[in-house]
């Protein structure tokens, strides 16, 4: 087999690996990791390295993602964490390298972009149907309750599925009914089944943003008023939402530094620890994987619970890479938001939703560090960045 033939085979199967990864992102950690590893291996044999280098110059988002990973790699050298502690954290951020890799594989391949996007949506639909089957006792519940995933991750994907289905229901008149059904089912899953407050918040943000995307000024005002009225309605009809909101309020009211053991109470402790650590080394941070080590030293003798991350990506990066690393991450998000303006309407709206989801979700979680959310961000944003540019009429 000639080298060109090998490259063509690797490129073709690399595309299949991208599609498979997108399908497994909302479903299985092990299969997602396996498929994403195949993406890397097949990319190496595809001859797309030259394309990737060109795209690093043309797409600021790709260059910033690679630069941020390089920063994490360099920061291993001055981290107080051992190599056995620092390198697993570094590998958690491998999605930053996957972004330019996937972009180069999908570049000029609209069929791959469409199929991979459909793969993600199909995986999210399967996750939703499994959740309903567990909730209705049709199949046994998993260790995470009525989902295959942890409740934060599950609700996150349900919010995204609702957003995706709403966009498709609007853009595809002939398929409006089935996508409207998916939208309503995903919404009901968040309201009545999924207990993740992150997903509830993400859903509210995405639905409000979709109103701004789709309507003119007068209709935006009316839509926002309707949306604001629906929020308390959801609170009243859903014990799932009301109980989680009330629990959050109780966590804040009864918060005692160092002694609270609620989800939100411990987060407040970890955020305070992070701010103290950033003040110690504000420019370049303490190094990759340093949070767990430095936090242990900081809380020694106290009652604060230790953690491997502060459940806030901005603070997590700030502790490890300082304000320079945090600036790189913010620049990455900003570059994708700006790049979305040049895409066709479908890709523009979805990419804006992804960036907004990451920007808000990282306030309460370390989404770039988390495997499922990190892979979703890298793969889907890369695919949308590879979409065709905006038509002058759009």
């Amino acid at each position: 087999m000639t080298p060109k033939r090998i490259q063509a085979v690797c490129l073709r199967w690399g595309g299949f690996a991208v599609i498979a990864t997108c399908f497994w992102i909302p479903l299985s950690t092990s299969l997602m990791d396996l498929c994403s590893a195949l993406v890397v291996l097949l990319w190496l044999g595809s001859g797309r390295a030259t394309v990737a280098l060109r795209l690093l110059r043309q797409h600021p988002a790709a260059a910033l993602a690679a630069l941020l990973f390089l920063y994490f790699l360099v920061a291993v050298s001055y981290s107080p964490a051992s190599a056995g502690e620092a390198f697993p954290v570094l590998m958690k951020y491998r999605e930053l390298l996957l972004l330019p890799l996937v972009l180069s594989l999908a570049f000029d391949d609209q069929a791959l972009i469409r199929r991979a996007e459909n793969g993600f949506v199909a995986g999210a639909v399967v996750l939703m149907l499994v959740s309903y089957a567990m909730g209705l006792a049709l199949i046994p519940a998993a260790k995470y309750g009525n989902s295959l995933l942890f409740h934060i991750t599950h609700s996150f994907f349900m919010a995204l599925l609702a957003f995706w289905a709403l966009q498709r229901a609007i853009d595809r008149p002939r398929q409006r009914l089935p996508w409207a059904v998916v939208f309503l089912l995903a919404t009901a899953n968040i309201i009545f089944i999924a207990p993740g407050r992150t997903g509830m918040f993400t859903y509210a943000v995405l639905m409000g943003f979709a109103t701004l995307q789709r309507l003119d000024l007068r209709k935006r005002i009316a839509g926002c008023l309707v949306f604001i009225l629906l929020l308390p309605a959801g609170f009243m009809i859903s014990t799932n939402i009301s109980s989680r909101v009330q629990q959050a309020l109780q966590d804040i009211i009864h918060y005692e530094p160092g002694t609270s053991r609620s989800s939100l109470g411990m987060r407040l402790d970890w955020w305070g620890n992070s701010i103290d650590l950033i003040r110690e080394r504000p420019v370049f941070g303490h190094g990759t994987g340093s949070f767990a080590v430095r936090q242990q030293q900081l809380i020694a003798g106290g009652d604060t619970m230790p953690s491997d991350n502060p459940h806030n990506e901005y603070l997590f990066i700030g502790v490890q890479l300082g304000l320079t690393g945090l600036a790189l991450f913010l620049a990455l998000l900003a570059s994708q938001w700006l790049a979305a303006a040049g895409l066709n309407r479908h890709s523009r709206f979805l990419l804006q939703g992804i960036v907004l989801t990451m920007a808000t979700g990282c306030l309460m979680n370390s989404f770039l560090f988390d495997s499922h959310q990190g892979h979703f961000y890298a793969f889907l944003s890369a695919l949308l960045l590879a979409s065709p540019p905006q038509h002058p009429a759009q």
Side-chain angles (χ1 to χ4, degrees), residues 160-206:
L160 285 166
L161 177 59
F163 178 70
W164 234 275
L166 179 62
Q167 298 287 353
R168 291 190 171 193
I170 296 172
D171 288 335
R172 304 179 182 184
R174 294 183 178 180
Q175 302 173 10
R176 184 158 294 163
L177 179 59
W179 287 117
V181 171
V182 172
F183 168 75
L184 292 174
L185 287 173
T187 299
N189 193 274
I190 291 173
I191 294 175
F192 298 108
I193 295 180
R197 286 178 296 218
T198 297
M200 297 174 189
F201 177 68
T202 300
Y203 177 86
V205 169
L206 287 176

Side-chain angles (χ1 to χ4, degrees), residues 300-377:
D303 296 322
T304 300
M305 290 290 290
S307 176
D308 64 346
N309 77 93
H311 291 257
N312 179 301
E313 192 65 67
Y314 304 106
L315 294 175
F316 196 27
I317 292 176
V319 170
Q320 297 179 92
L321 306 182
L323 299 180
T324 51
L326 178 57
L328 272 178
F329 180 50
L330 293 173
L332 171 59
L333 294 176
S335 68
Q336 290 180 308
W337 185 272
L338 294 173
L343 301 177
N344 63 77
R345 187 174 67 170
H346 171 79
S347 298
R348 179 170 74 250
F349 287 171
L350 291 178
L351 182 55
Q352 287 174 339
I354 290 174
V355 175
L356 184 62
T357 298
M358 284 295 293
T360 55
C362 285
L363 293 170
M364 295 292 291
N365 300 275
S366 302
F367 273 171
L368 197 59
F369 177 74
D370 292 338
S371 186
H372 286 274
Q373 290 89 337
H375 275 77
F376 162 78
Y377 168 68

Side-chain angles (χ1 to χ4, degrees), residues 101-340:
L101 262 63
V102 174
L103 179 61
S104 66
L105 283 172
F107 191 71
D108 288 337
D109 192 343
Q110 300 309 307
L112 171 57
I113 295 170
R114 183 181 66 256
R115 291 166 183 166
E117 182 191 332
N118 288 338
F120 166 73
V121 174
V125 170
V126 171
L127 177 66
M128 179 183 69
L129 294 177
V130 170
S131 175
Y132 275 114
M134 290 178 176
L136 296 172
L138 298 177
I139 60 175
K143 64 178 180 178
Y144 297 119
N146 296 323
S147 179
L148 298 172
L149 303 176
F150 188 54
H151 69 275
I152 293 176
T153 308
H154 175 90
S155 64
F156 172 79
F157 284 126
M158 288 302 98
L160 285 166
L161 177 59
F163 178 70
W164 234 275
L166 179 62
Q167 298 287 353
R168 291 190 171 193
I170 296 172
D171 288 335
R172 304 179 182 184
R174 294 183 178 180
Q175 302 173 10
R176 184 158 294 163
L177 179 59
W179 287 117
V181 171
V182 172
F183 168 75
L184 292 174
L185 287 173
T187 299
N189 193 274
I190 291 173
I191 294 175
F192 298 108
I193 295 180
R197 286 178 296 218
T198 297
M200 297 174 189
F201 177 68
T202 300
Y203 177 86
V205 169
L206 287 176
M207 292 304 106
F209 184 63
T211 301
L212 298 178
Q213 286 179 317
R214 293 290 183 169
L215 303 177
D216 58 33
L217 180 59
R218 182 178 298 178
K219 292 180 180 179
R220 285 176 183 177
I221 296 173
C224 287
L225 290 174
V226 171
F227 185 67
I228 291 172
L229 292 174
L230 288 176
L231 289 178
F235 185 88
M236 289 185 290
I237 66 174
S238 171
T239 55
N240 182 43
I241 293 179
S242 59
S243 62
R244 296 297 286 164
V245 173
Q246 289 169 355
Q247 183 61 56
L249 293 174
Q250 291 299 313
D251 291 349
I252 295 173
I253 293 171
H254 299 291
Y255 169 66
E256 295 182 9
T259 61
S260 292
R261 292 295 178 264
S262 64
S263 174
L264 186 54
M266 289 189 293
R267 275 179 167 83
L268 293 173
D269 285 338
W270 300 333
W271 296 348
N273 296 158
S274 299
I275 292 171
D276 290 339
L277 293 173
I278 291 172
R279 285 173 177 167
E280 291 180 7
R281 300 195 64 178
V283 180
F284 300 113
H286 296 268
T288 303
S290 60
F291 178 82
V293 176
R294 291 292 294 114
Q295 191 216 22
Q296 284 278 11
Q297 297 169 352
L298 187 67
I299 65 176
D303 296 322
T304 300
M305 290 290 290
S307 176
D308 64 346
N309 77 93
H311 291 257
N312 179 301
E313 192 65 67
Y314 304 106
L315 294 175
F316 196 27
I317 292 176
V319 170
Q320 297 179 92
L321 306 182
L323 299 180
T324 51
L326 178 57
L328 272 178
F329 180 50
L330 293 173
L332 171 59
L333 294 176
S335 68
Q336 290 180 308
W337 185 272
L338 294 173

Side-chain angles (χ1 to χ4, degrees), residues 79-100:
S79 174
S82 66
E85 295 168 321
F87 276 100
V89 174
L90 174 68
M91 292 308 296
K92 283 282 192 175
Y93 287 102
R94 67 189 182 278
E95 295 96 341
L96 291 166
L97 284 184
L98 288 170
L99 195 156

Side-chain angles (χ1 to χ4, degrees), residues 10 14 17-18 21 33-46 94 97-98 101-102 105 375 379:
C10 287
V18 169
T21 303
D33 287 342
L34 174 62
C35 291
S36 64
L38 288 175
V39 169
V40 176
L41 291 175
L42 292 166
W43 177 85
L44 290 172
S46 69
R94 67 189 182 278
L97 284 184
L98 288 170
L101 262 63
V102 174
L105 283 172
H375 275 77
F379 273 75

